[in-house]
């Protein structure tokens, strides 16, 4: 009878015994009993077997889960790789366009013979700047048109060492000497590769047709800059925030000597 009662106790303890959760004394008691009891011995063996198949099942589940997780990770990695490649292609294309335009602009920026007309529109006012340049001769006319004010006209003339400014505000006409007159064609494109790379990342660049002229439009927040595909020189600039529009028109190699004749200064008062 005593043995049967021990069996009950031992069998209750066996699960913990397998998991090594029992004390040394209890282990001794169980092991002593197992030596003499075949039935409990068998039960222990079966329990161990069950535990093994359980762990195998658990392992299989884990392997399945890891496989599933890995394939998801692979898909995610491929999507990320695709986005990176797409980003590089788009930025690369834009950088290529900008570098190409800056190379073209370089030759036109230093052109010694050109005619340009620039029109500024701002808050109901229009200003125009017209330039004729032929080697060291420059004739630049700056006109401001206003709805409620008189027209103001300023002429800059440069021929060799002579550099003068003529202002006609509708009432008085004055002549002053100026330091220098710089009228180089405007290009929106930098010569610096890294600035072009930054521009490629931060702006949108599209090819558009503007009044029959092929150009690239560079959109950066509130501003839109139009650049001539052939020359890399500015065509138009729109500042939507400040409501300013500037139109540029350039013609290269068309200026004759008769376009850069010294203006008549007889009516102007000289101011030192
Ligand atoms: Zn027993």
């Amino acid at each position: 009878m005593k043995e049967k009662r021990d069996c009950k106790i031992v069998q209750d303890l066996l699960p913990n015994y397998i998991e090594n959760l029992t004390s040394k004394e209890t282990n001794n008691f169980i092991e002593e009993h197992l030596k003499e009891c075949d039935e409990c011995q068998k039960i222990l063996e079966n329990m161990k077997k069950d535990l093994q198949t359980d762990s195998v099942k658990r392992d299989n589940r884990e392997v399945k889960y890891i496989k599933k997780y890995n394939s998801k990770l692979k898909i995610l990695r491929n999507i990320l790789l695709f986005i990176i490649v797409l980003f590089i292609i788009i930025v690369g294309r834009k950088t290529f366009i900008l570098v190409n335009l800056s190379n073209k602009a370089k030759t036109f920026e230093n052109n010694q013979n050109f005619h340009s007309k620039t029109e500024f529109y701002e808050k109901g006012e229009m200003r125009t700047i017209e330039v004729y340049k032929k080697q060291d001769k420059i004739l630049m006319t700056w006109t401001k048109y206003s709805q409620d004010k008189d027209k103001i006209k300023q002429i800059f003339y440069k021929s060799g060492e002579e550099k003068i400014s003529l202002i006609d505000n509708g009432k008085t006409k004055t002549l002053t000497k100026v330091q220098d007159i710089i009228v180089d064609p405007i290009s929106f494109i930098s010569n610096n590769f890294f600035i072009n790379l930054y521009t490629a990342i931060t702006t949108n660049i599209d090819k558009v047709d503007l009044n029959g002229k092929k150009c690239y439009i560079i959109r950066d927040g509130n501003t839109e800059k139009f650049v001539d595909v052939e020359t890399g020189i500015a065509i138009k600039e729109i500042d939507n925030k400040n409501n300013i529009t500037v139109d540029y028109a350039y013609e290269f190699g068309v200026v004759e000597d008769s376009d850069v004749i010294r203006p008549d200064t007889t009516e102007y008062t000289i101011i030192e």
Side-chain angles (χ1 to χ4, degrees):
M1 274 312 273
K2 189 187 173 262
E3 279 217 346
K4 267 288 161 207
R5 215 184 59 137
D6 277 356
C7 279
K8 271 277 164 212
I9 296 167
V10 165
Q11 282 163 24
D12 276 349
L13 287 169
L14 278 179
N16 282 343
Y17 173 72
I18 291 169
E19 305 262 7
N20 288 323
L21 299 171
T22 41
S23 69
K24 211 174 175 186
E25 288 79 14
T26 311
N27 287 349
N28 285 338
F29 167 73
I30 293 167
E31 279 153 20
E32 284 303 315
H33 176 83
L34 287 174
K35 275 179 197 163
E36 288 152 20
C37 176
D38 286 348
E39 202 195 325
C40 284
Q41 184 97 46
K42 243 183 197 148
I43 287 170
L44 173 68
E45 232 114 272
N46 282 337
M47 274 186 178
K48 278 183 174 170
K49 254 185 220 159
D50 279 356
L51 203 74
Q52 256 175 355
T53 52
D54 264 7
S55 90
V56 166
K57 270 184 193 163
R58 204 167 49 232
D59 282 354
N60 277 341
R61 269 206 307 276
E62 271 169 17
V63 166
K64 255 188 188 167
Y65 176 76
I66 288 168
K67 270 186 182 165
K68 211 171 153 188
Y69 179 78
N70 274 347
S71 76
K72 267 186 183 170
L73 210 69
K74 215 171 166 182
I75 291 168
L76 212 70
R77 203 187 58 195
N78 284 343
I79 290 171
L80 201 71
L81 206 71
F82 177 74
I83 291 168
I84 290 169
V85 168
L86 203 69
F87 179 78
I88 290 170
I89 289 171
I90 290 169
V91 169
R93 177 191 157 267
K94 288 196 276 185
T95 308
F96 179 77
I97 289 170
L98 291 171
V99 169
N100 206 1
L101 286 174
S102 102
N103 284 337
K104 283 177 182 170
K106 256 183 229 163
T107 56
F108 287 100
E109 273 172 327
N110 300 317
N111 199 295
Q112 296 301 307
N113 184 315
F114 71 88
H115 167 238
S116 75
K117 195 160 184 186
T118 312
E119 292 177 349
F120 298 83
Y121 302 91
E122 185 182 4
K123 291 164 193 144
E125 284 191 350
M126 185 175 98
R127 285 174 287 146
T128 62
I129 297 173
E130 188 162 25
V131 174
Y132 290 91
K133 177 171 179 164
K134 189 168 189 280
Q135 269 66 47
D136 68 333
K137 284 184 181 171
I138 295 169
L139 179 65
M140 176 161 97
T141 311
W142 189 96
T143 315
K144 186 176 175 180
Y145 303 88
S146 175
Q147 287 165 342
D148 49 349
K149 279 172 253 166
D150 292 329
K151 186 172 114 176
I152 300 169
K153 195 172 177 181
Q154 185 169 15
I155 297 168
F156 292 95
Y157 182 71
K158 179 183 177 182
S159 175
E161 287 304 304
E162 188 185 30
K163 294 157 203 160
I164 53 169
S165 156
L166 307 167
I167 299 176
D168 177 358
N169 63 10
K171 291 174 191 122
T172 56
K173 292 181 174 186
T174 53
L175 184 156
T176 48
K177 283 181 181 171
V178 291
Q179 286 291 315
D180 206 1
I181 299 161
I182 295 162
V183 293
D184 293 339
I186 291 167
S187 166
F188 297 129
I189 317 294
S190 168
N191 287 327
N192 185 302
F193 174 80
F194 293 100
I195 291 174
N196 284 332
L197 185 65
Y198 178 77
T199 307
I201 294 168
T202 56
T203 63
N204 278 322
I205 300 176
D206 290 308
K207 206 169 185 178
V208 291
D209 209 280
L210 189 76
N211 306 325
K213 229 172 188 181
K214 292 245 175 298
C215 60
Y216 283 110
I217 174 168
I218 302 166
R219 288 195 188 89
D220 182 6
N222 286 311
T223 64
E224 294 175 4
K225 290 171 178 172
F226 296 76
V227 179
D228 193 334
V229 168
E230 279 170 43
T231 59
I233 299 295
I235 288 186
K236 193 185 187 79
E237 187 175 7
I238 301 171
D239 182 341
N240 289 309
K241 197 181 170 191
N242 299 306
N243 209 4
I244 301 170
T245 304
V246 187
D247 285 311
Y248 304 87
Y250 287 94
E251 292 176 288
F252 295 96
V254 295
V255 179
E256 309 276 340
D257 284 326
S258 57
D259 295 320
V260 283
I261 289 172
R262 190 180 191 278
D264 182 8
T265 60
T266 47
E267 289 178 29
Y268 287 81
T269 313
I270 299 170
I271 295 175
E272 294 295 330

